[in-house]
Amino acid sequence: EDKVVQSPLSLVVHEGDTVTLNCSYEVTNFRSLLWYKQEKKAPTFLFMLTSSGIEKKSGRLSSILDKKELFSILNITATQTGDSAIYLCAVEAHAYGQNFVFGPGTRLSVLP
Amino acid sequence: SAVISQKPSRDICQRGTSLTIQCQVDSQVTMMFWYRQQPGQSLTLIATANQGSEATYESGFVIDKFPISRPNLTFSTLTVSNMSPEDSSIYLCSVRQGATEAFFGQGTRLTVV
């Protein structure tokens, strides 16, 4: 059965800390892996990863994919209270057409 | 990118009633998707709305409960019918343009009392 697993499910840190969020997957005919940030209702796009070993970076956030070991990590450095959100990992596979399978999310709380 | 306008933003409804959620996209898209996010859970796909044909529903979701319309390439509606408290969720519409990321509407927070 195809699945997407994220860890930890919940994380509390203080401003300035660095965090690493994990996403592992088991799907047939992998296409891409995406990271989203969900603060209230609508997820906002962070990264789309299709190739192993190529880091994508946006400000303090970065992400990388390992297609051999079937996982991805999302790093956030120098965390700020505005980083508090649920971080969702989603995988696209050929079996699902144009849509995605979402992981359970990691709830990150950044304390001042 | 695509900009999606979803409404209502939130609603509180009586059990047994129905609510229709609308999504308007600023460009033509082939496929639109409707997701449900129950409290504390991740996103679950309800159905794919295709213009000119019936929506394709995922396992556990049926047309009688969640009828979908897709009258053109920029608009879709999802109706939550005969609501019960278990339908209290966030409902999200989403689109893709080719092999890109999915864009989401602002979401509808539904509470059934």
Side-chain angles (χ1 to χ4, degrees):
Chain A
E1 181 183 339
D2 294 339
K3 61 182 179 181
V4 178
V5 177
Q6 291 185 248
S7 64
L9 295 180
S10 180
L11 185 60
V12 180
V13 300
H14 288 90
E15 274 193 316
D17 289 349
T18 294
V19 298
T20 298
L21 309 183
N22 303 289
C23 176
S24 63
Y25 60 90
E26 292 181 25
V27 299
T28 305
N29 295 323
F30 171 89
R31 273 183 176 166
S32 63
L33 184 146
L34 290 80
W35 285 95
Y36 285 88
K37 178 182 182 182
Q38 186 179 31
E39 292 179 85
K40 292 185 178 178
K41 292 182 293 183
T44 53
F45 172 75
L46 296 175
F47 298 111
M48 183 177 192
L49 304 162
T50 56
S51 301
S52 276
I54 300 175
E55 184 183 53
K56 294 217 171 178
K57 197 171 173 64
S58 177
R60 296 177 293 103
L61 277 67
S62 65
S63 183
I64 197 163
L65 173 68
D66 186 329
K67 290 168 72 174
K68 181 180 178 184
E69 299 299 329
L70 308 183
F71 78 92
S72 173
I73 60 171
L74 175 68
N75 280 319
I76 308 175
T77 59
T79 52
Q80 302 171 356
T81 55
D83 295 326
S84 296
I86 297 172
Y87 290 84
L88 297 167
C89 173
V91 173
E92 178 190 15
H94 283 284
Y96 304 117
Q98 293 285 316
N99 59 59
F100 300 95
V101 176
F102 282 83
T106 293
R107 182 180 293 274
L108 174 65
S109 299
V110 182
L111 304 178
Chain B
S1 64
V3 177
I4 306 171
S5 175
Q6 181 175 342
K7 58 182 181 181
S9 174
R10 59 175 60 222
D11 208 340
I12 301 174
C13 301
Q14 296 289 325
R15 67 178 68 199
T17 63
S18 298
L19 175 72
T20 296
I21 303 167
Q22 300 179 3
C23 268
Q24 178 75 51
V25 190
D26 68 344
S27 58
Q28 293 186 340
V29 292
T30 304
M31 302 174 88
M32 295 180 72
F33 306 96
W34 288 97
Y35 288 87
R36 180 177 74 179
Q37 187 176 30
Q38 295 177 299
Q41 304 294 315
S42 192
L43 279 68
T44 300
L45 183 67
I46 298 172
T48 302
N50 306 304
Q51 195 271 334
S53 63
E54 277 198 5
T56 304
Y57 289 82
E58 298 299 307
S59 176
F61 298 97
V62 295
I63 187 171
D64 290 346
K65 176 67 175 177
F66 298 101
I68 288 171
S69 78
R70 184 83 196 276
N72 56 54
L73 292 174
T74 64
F75 186 78
S76 179
T77 68
L78 169 76
T79 299
V80 186
S81 302
N82 188 25
M83 288 183 286
S84 67
E86 292 71 35
D87 294 319
S88 298
S89 297
I90 294 172
Y91 292 86
L92 292 152
C93 65
S94 172
V95 303
R96 292 190 75 186
Q97 294 174 311
T100 65
E101 68 269 28
F103 301 97
F104 287 89
Q106 300 95 324
T108 298
R109 187 182 299 276
L110 170 63
T111 302
V112 183
V113 296

